[in-house]
Amino acid sequence: MSPSATGLVLDRVTIAKAGTPLLSLSARIAPGAVHAVMGPSGSGKSTLLAYVAGFLRAPFSGEGGLALDGVDLAPLRPAERRMGLLFQDPLLFPHLSVGGNVRFAVPAAVRGRARAETVSRALREVGLEGCEARDPTTLSGGEQARVALARVLAARPCALLLDEPFSKLDMALRDQVRTLVFDTAAERGLPVLLVTHDPADAEAAGGAVTRLD
């Protein structure tokens, strides 16, 4: 599999725990496409995302090629890989406003009025325009998930890594937020690696699926 291909490329990536293999995966995820990895707890799904993002820690280990739009990720630090991560919990900072949470992710190179504009645009994209001053603890679960997505988008990622970010939402909100995430990724041309145990997530993504035994 050519590492120069556009999108996110995983070339014979293997993940192990204390030397015991957990999974192996090769994939090319085109811009805007979603590759879903399905499997039970303990199968190495979240560990795979940690390897791609660059913060894998012992006792886990990984090997194999990683490239994003032709750039080898191996020598890059996590921040340099430009990966946007969404987790099961929104992980919002309770001491910051909604706008403060999103502003936290804006790259340092974006200064002055452009920072405020970046925050406003990110919130507008997720349907929370004008909510900068809100206390995140007053938001519903779906709204908190939207703020988490806005924060990721404000960081200007080049790919998205999703660690079961819809699993704690009720069914109605799950469909809504899932559609928002996948549509936004398609609009921005972001390759998405999704790990989940829910077949509905993989079906909604509409892309390739790898199932782990």
Side-chain angles (χ1 to χ4, degrees):
M1 189 172 299
S2 172
S4 63
T6 301
L8 179 62
V9 176
L10 288 74
D11 187 12
R12 291 173 288 184
V13 169
T14 60
I15 301 296
K17 180 178 181 180
T20 301
L22 295 177
L23 65 84
S24 179
L25 177 66
S26 288
R28 184 184 80 82
I29 311 171
V34 182
H35 189 111
V37 178
M38 293 187 60
S41 298
S43 58
K45 305 188 305 298
S46 296
T47 310
L48 171 66
L49 297 187
Y51 177 68
V52 176
F55 52 81
L56 190 63
R57 297 289 182 267
F60 297 99
S61 61
E63 60 181 23
L66 295 172
L68 181 58
D69 294 336
V71 177
D72 182 12
L73 299 181
L76 301 183
R77 295 175 297 178
E80 296 171 327
R81 298 190 182 195
R82 302 288 299 277
M83 298 287 175
L85 287 94
L86 284 175
F87 300 96
Q88 292 183 30
D89 296 305
L91 302 178
L92 303 181
F93 300 117
H95 64 289
L96 296 178
S97 65
V98 166
N101 268 274
V102 178
R103 191 176 303 109
F104 181 85
V106 178
V110 180
R111 300 177 181 235
R113 181 176 297 178
R115 292 186 70 83
E117 291 174 348
T118 298
V119 172
S120 296
R121 183 169 58 252
L123 288 172
R124 185 167 59 249
E125 284 187 273
V126 301
L128 292 175
E129 185 175 10
C131 291
E132 285 88 343
R134 289 280 301 273
D135 182 338
T137 63
T138 68
L139 302 178
S140 68
E143 288 171 331
Q144 290 185 14
R146 287 171 176 265
V147 175
L149 175 59
R151 185 170 60 185
V152 166
L153 297 176
R156 300 182 178 179
C158 296
L160 294 181
L161 305 178
L162 309 183
D163 191 355
E164 305 204 47
F166 320 117
S167 63
K168 292 191 175 181
L169 301 173
D170 62 43
M171 289 306 297
L173 283 177
R174 187 177 304 180
D175 290 341
Q176 183 184 83
V177 175
R178 191 162 47 199
T179 298
L180 175 64
V181 171
F182 295 151
D183 286 354
T184 302
E187 291 168 5
R188 288 200 174 199
L190 302 176
V192 179
L193 181 59
L194 163 71
V195 301
T196 181
H197 67 276
D198 187 349
D201 287 346
E203 182 178 354
V209 179
T210 297
R211 290 178 171 82
L212 307 175
D213 295 330

